Amino acid sequence: MIEKLRLWLAAEANSRFLTEPPYGSYAEAAEQFVRDLQNSPLPQSIAEQVKAHVYSTLVTIVELRTRKILWELSQGREPKNTTAEEERLIRPLLKILRARPHRREAQEYVIVQFVTPHPAIITEDFKQIGPFNKGDLAKLPPRDAKDLEERGVARLLRLED
């Protein structure tokens, strides 16, 4: 059991993503450990040291895996190879992740060049940019670019073939 946990910890430490856990849940690992310890003829003092070592190893595994899960979620991805406890943890977070509006893609922006100085603006996607000097370039949502162009403040740059 201890070797199995050691290998799991090494795999997690050496991987950017979650590795396949050797147990379906942390509870299953704990139950297996308790059974193994009860059947062991170890003296009490050594058994206590083994418990402390196993506890420390499991806590480190949980910490590493939790960080990986949060990183994957922050990247908009659903973590794979999760334990039962991790599934219960991330299920509500995944619901929120799936319900949030998707970020605009880069191709939904256009480039404008300012033809006059202009103060800072807040774009339709709630980003504050500027202020601008004559000749400055900016990447804007099309609606904001069109508004500035219609007011004679900026001109839309188009790629020519």
Side-chain angles (χ1 to χ4, degrees), residues 12-30:
E12 290 299 337
N14 293 315
S15 171
R16 185 174 179 191
F17 299 100
L18 294 174
T19 63
E20 182 69 37
Y23 301 97
S25 70
Y26 295 112
E28 180 185 327

Side-chain angles (χ1 to χ4, degrees), residues 54-64:
V54 168
Y55 173 81
S56 174
T57 303
L58 273 174
V59 166
T60 303
I61 291 169
V62 170
E63 181 181 355
L64 281 171

Side-chain angles (χ1 to χ4, degrees), residues 99-115:
R100 76 176 183 193
H102 295 287
R103 292 182 179 158
R104 291 185 177 268
E105 297 296 323
Q107 62 266 27
E108 293 185 37
Y109 289 86
V110 295
I111 304 296
V112 298
Q113 183 176 28
F114 283 83
V115 295

